[in-house]
Amino acid sequence: MKCINKLFYLALIFALAISSIHAVPKETEESRKLKAESADRHIRFISPAEFSVHINKGLWIIMFGANWCKYTQRLTPKWLGLQTRIRAENLAKDINIAKVECNKDNNMDFCTSQGVDGFPTIYVYENGKKYEEYLGNHEVNEMFTYVQEQVARFKSEEVVEEVVTVYVEEVVYAQEAEDNKPRKSSKDEAQEHQEEEKPKPKPQAKQIPHQRKQEDKNKQQKPRVKDNNNHRKRERDNDNKVKTKQPPKAAPPKYAPPKFPTKELPKTTISTKASKCCC
């Protein structure tokens, strides 16, 4: 009985597993085609006639695919998701995304000329030249990280190219300026050559003033001897000058009265005796 019960439980588990597998809906060909067709309505396409004109400048990422290929049908909705992500992150000015259809006979020759040997194939173009092929996973996040890396690389190369072009232009301009200079005649060149061959005069050494000897200094600088007699004479003369000086005469006032000659008056005597009255 125990063995029968175990077998019963095992059969039940197996049946549930099979039912769960069948319960997951598989993607049918019709649904895959419908998703691809609806995505193609919003994806940017480039024809072979316009291909060289569009990719001639800037950075491009292009998918080469065929609508009858199931792998292209699976990638087409994800390619639309990558296009919307690039526009949402404001990278549309740095990189362009497009698709080329290779189902027709005329387009097939063009795709083979670009090196496409299977579908889908993703190439990166830089200023009209094929740079490399994307061989990573076909998921939106992984493809977007790859796009960011390519944008950063392209910007850094642009900066280097600008610096190099400016340097080359400066060098070319300098060469043209030298070429356009008036050429010297043979006579002028001969004169310059002769002037260069002439020996240059040696620079004269600085003349250092002659240093006098200590003996000459002693001879020139004689000691001064004081003359006491002359000194005393000078003091006496100064004293005499001080004594002989007279004060300046006072000037008469401006409105002083005139001076008249004075006469001597006779002398009168006054008696000191007491006077008496006569009756």
Side-chain angles (χ1 to χ4, degrees):
M1 292 292 293
K2 292 181 179 179
C3 292
I4 294 168
N5 291 330
K6 287 181 180 180
L7 290 171
F8 177 74
Y9 285 121
L10 289 172
L12 183 61
I13 291 168
F14 184 72
L16 290 172
I18 291 170
S19 64
S20 63
I21 291 169
H22 287 288
V24 177
K26 289 185 178 181
E27 187 180 15
T28 60
E29 292 183 3
E30 293 181 359
S31 63
R32 189 172 60 237
K33 287 180 181 179
L34 290 172
K35 289 180 182 178
E37 288 176 0
S38 62
D40 283 336
R41 294 172 186 171
H42 305 283
I43 290 174
R44 181 182 181 181
F45 281 87
I46 295 178
S47 64
E50 301 173 351
F51 187 81
S52 60
V53 177
H54 284 291
I55 69 166
N56 192 21
K57 188 176 181 181
L59 190 66
W60 288 77
I61 183 167
I62 297 173
M63 180 183 75
F64 295 88
N67 56 4
W68 49 264
C69 177
K70 63 179 181 180
Y71 300 106
T72 304
Q73 293 172 1
R74 290 174 183 171
L75 180 59
T76 300
K78 296 177 183 178
W79 196 253
L80 177 62
L82 179 62
Q83 179 177 302
T84 55
R85 183 79 178 276
I86 288 170
R87 291 176 180 176
E89 296 291 337
N90 294 326
L91 291 177
K93 60 183 179 180
D94 299 322
I95 188 168
N96 300 290
I97 184 171
K99 181 182 176 182
V100 176
E101 191 66 38
C102 301
N103 59 346
K104 296 179 182 179
D105 296 335
N106 357 357
N107 293 354
M108 200 68 188
D109 296 336
F110 173 75
C111 294
T112 53
S113 67
Q114 294 296 320
V116 177
D117 55 357
F119 302 107
T121 302
I122 299 172
Y123 283 142
V124 176
Y125 289 87
E126 183 178 330
N127 293 328
K129 296 180 181 180
K130 185 166 61 177
Y131 179 73
E132 67 179 8
E133 181 181 359
Y134 174 70
L135 300 173
N137 196 356
H138 291 170
E139 295 295 331
V140 177
N141 293 329
E142 294 186 7
M143 289 191 293
F144 184 71
T145 53
Y146 176 76
V147 166
Q148 287 178 329
E149 292 174 358
Q150 293 299 318
V151 169
R153 178 193 59 79
F154 183 71
K155 284 184 177 180
S156 63
E157 289 180 356
E158 276 188 340
V159 173
V160 173
E161 286 179 358
E162 287 178 359
V163 173
V164 172
T165 51
V166 170
Y167 176 74
V168 171
E169 288 177 356
E170 290 178 354
V171 172
V172 171
Y173 178 77
Q175 291 178 354
E176 290 179 353
E178 289 181 358
D179 295 338
N180 294 328
K181 283 182 180 179
R183 295 182 179 179
K184 296 179 180 180
S185 61
S186 59
K187 293 182 179 179
D188 296 336
E189 291 179 356
Q191 289 178 0
E192 288 181 358
H193 187 65
Q194 290 176 0
E195 290 177 357
E196 290 178 355
E197 289 180 353
K198 286 181 181 179
K200 294 181 180 179
K202 294 182 180 180
Q204 295 180 358
K206 293 182 179 180
Q207 295 180 359
I208 300 171
H210 180 67
Q211 295 181 356
R212 296 176 181 176
K213 296 181 180 179
Q214 193 68 22
E215 295 177 358
D216 297 338
K217 290 183 180 180
N218 295 332
K219 290 180 181 179
Q220 291 178 1
Q221 295 179 0
K222 293 181 179 180
R224 294 180 181 180
V225 180
K226 292 182 180 180
D227 192 358
N228 294 327
N229 296 325
N230 293 331
H231 184 66
R232 289 175 183 174
K233 287 179 180 180
R234 289 174 185 172
E235 288 181 353
R236 289 174 187 171
D237 296 338
N238 292 330
D239 292 337
N240 293 329
K241 286 179 182 180
V242 171
K243 289 179 181 179
T244 55
K245 283 184 179 179
Q246 295 179 359
K249 294 181 180 181
K254 190 174 181 180
Y255 300 101
K259 291 182 179 182
F260 297 98
T262 56
K263 293 181 179 182
E264 294 182 357
L265 296 174
K267 297 181 178 179
T268 56
T269 58
I270 299 170
S271 60
T272 56
K273 294 179 179 181
S275 60
K276 294 180 179 179
C277 293
C278 297
C279 15

